[in-house]
Amino acid sequence: MGERRGAVAAGAAAVVLGAGACYCLWRLAAGGAARGPPPDNSPPVSTHTMDADALQKLIYLLHATDDPLIQEQALITLSNSAAFSVNQDIIRNLGGLSVIGGMLSDCVPKVKEKALNALNNLSMNIKNQEEIQVYITQVFGNVESAPLNSDLQLAGLRLLTNMSVTSDYHHKMISSIPCLLRLLSEGTERTQIQVLKVLVNLSANPAMTRHLLRGQVPTLLLLLDNYTNRDTLLRALVFAANLKKNANNKDGTMDQYSESSIFFTLCGDSTAFAQKLASLLHHPDAEVKEQVVRILTQ
């Protein structure tokens, strides 16, 4: 049984590492000494030509090995293969989503990052999202605990962007809104853009309005500036415009908000906010000015 498991794992490793590199793994798994590469030193299999059998071996390898290097390479190969829609279904049907999702608990940051990247590509599929959504809380945990502006943090935010495109799983993100707003205040430009992509998706859902308006972003007004990167500025304005629209359309009794909340910045009598908008009316970008007008006319 041990030799059989080793042979299957070595076959999958060939997909990841190439025939020459995995020969040593196969010999060791079979209990023999590795004396050199096999005669057929063929290159790794191209990810877009991988069939179901190759993907199954790869998923098995990911499940069976404890070697972080092999895990990382297997996840990269699965991530690349998931860029093709046909492979997204195959990986799901082979039980690959739960195996990849299990890597989010790994203690090696690079393994978690590559797992998030793979899930990100796989989340382009609606049926896959139905399975991936069970990891949303865990993804937020990884985002919050990761070093600020790290590749691991950004990988998690990219996955959350895809998972928030529809409103199906927004309710799972409510408790993590403070985390997103903190990253918006503390992150670099690259992190801010990725956070704003998630926030824009959430703000388009009226059911999320009161949860977002209760949040606090001390630096929100600082982003609404002519000197802010255009992509960051535009998304910040769309976020503000969505919230202002939904707040104005809200029926029933208004919730109580603190004076430091986003609500008071956008919907209160904020002179600073009005001055920012007036200045942005002279911004050279047409889309930026369009969003400013949208806010002012609501």
Side-chain angles (χ1 to χ4, degrees):
M1 181 62 72
E3 291 185 1
R4 172 61 181 163
R5 285 175 61 89
V8 173
V15 177
V16 180
L17 303 173
C22 81
Y23 178 69
C24 296
L25 175 62
W26 179 86
R27 289 299 301 249
L28 290 172
R35 292 193 174 94
D40 180 18
N41 196 9
S42 56
V45 177
S46 174
T47 55
H48 70 276
T49 60
M50 292 176 67
D51 57 18
D53 184 60
L55 288 170
Q56 186 173 35
K57 289 178 179 178
L58 195 58
I59 292 167
Y60 172 82
L61 173 66
L62 183 61
H63 176 71
T65 184
D66 293 324
D67 187 322
L69 177 61
I70 295 178
Q71 289 174 334
E72 188 177 338
Q73 293 303 314
L75 287 165
I76 290 173
T77 306
L78 284 169
S79 180
N80 290 340
S81 69
F84 301 89
S85 57
V86 64
N87 290 339
Q88 295 170 6
D89 291 324
I90 292 173
I91 292 171
R92 181 186 69 253
N93 292 333
L94 290 172
L97 295 178
S98 61
V99 175
I100 297 170
M103 297 292 104
L104 297 180
S105 301
D106 199 276
C107 61
V108 180
K110 278 294 181 184
V111 172
K112 288 194 284 191
E113 177 197 333
K114 298 305 185 292
L116 288 166
N117 287 339
L119 290 175
N120 182 47
N121 284 348
L122 288 162
S123 68
M124 302 301 290
N125 181 306
I126 295 298
K127 289 186 177 180
N128 285 354
Q129 284 198 3
E130 294 173 2
E131 294 191 28
I132 295 172
Q133 56 92 13
V134 302
Y135 301 109
I136 286 177
T137 301
Q138 193 171 358
V139 172
F140 267 113
N142 285 330
V143 167
E144 191 163 12
S145 63
L148 184 63
N149 306 315
S150 63
D151 289 338
L152 172 58
Q153 190 171 77
L154 289 166
L157 289 170
R158 283 192 291 269
L159 174 56
L160 292 169
T161 299
N162 280 349
M163 294 300 295
S164 61
V165 168
T166 69
S167 61
D168 294 346
Y169 310 114
H170 285 184
H171 63 284
K172 288 178 170 286
M173 304 184 184
I174 292 173
S175 62
S176 297
I177 288 175
C179 169
L180 293 172
L181 298 180
R182 178 179 61 82
L183 294 179
L184 182 60
S185 293
E186 300 176 3
T188 60
E189 184 178 286
R190 190 168 65 146
T191 299
Q192 288 176 333
I193 289 176
Q194 206 60 57
V195 170
L196 281 166
K197 288 180 180 181
V198 181
L199 290 175
V200 166
N201 288 343
L202 296 179
S203 66
N205 179 6
M208 297 295 290
T209 302
R210 73 177 189 276
H211 302 292
L212 290 165
L213 287 176
R214 286 172 179 163
Q216 300 179 21
V217 191
T219 60
L220 180 59
L221 286 179
L222 296 179
L223 295 177
L224 304 181
D225 191 274
N226 281 296
Y227 294 101
T228 300
N229 169 275
R230 182 261 183 194
D231 290 339
T232 304
L233 174 59
L234 182 59
R235 288 183 172 88
L237 286 168
V238 173
F239 173 62
N242 287 347
L243 288 181
K244 201 164 191 306
K245 174 187 175 182
N246 291 334
N248 290 341
N249 293 339
K250 183 178 173 62
D251 295 324
T253 305
M254 288 296 292
D255 293 308
Q256 297 298 311
Y257 301 97
S258 69
E259 293 186 4
S260 58
S261 67
I262 294 176
F263 172 81
F264 268 83
T265 299
L266 302 182
C267 306
D269 187 17
S270 173
T271 302
F273 183 49
Q275 290 175 340
K276 289 284 188 179
L277 294 177
S279 176
L280 289 172
L281 281 173
H282 303 287
H283 196 280
D285 187 88
E287 288 186 78
V288 168
K289 287 188 285 191
E290 180 183 339
Q291 292 302 319
V292 173
V293 171
R294 183 182 166 211
I295 294 172
L296 290 172
T297 55
Q298 289 174 356

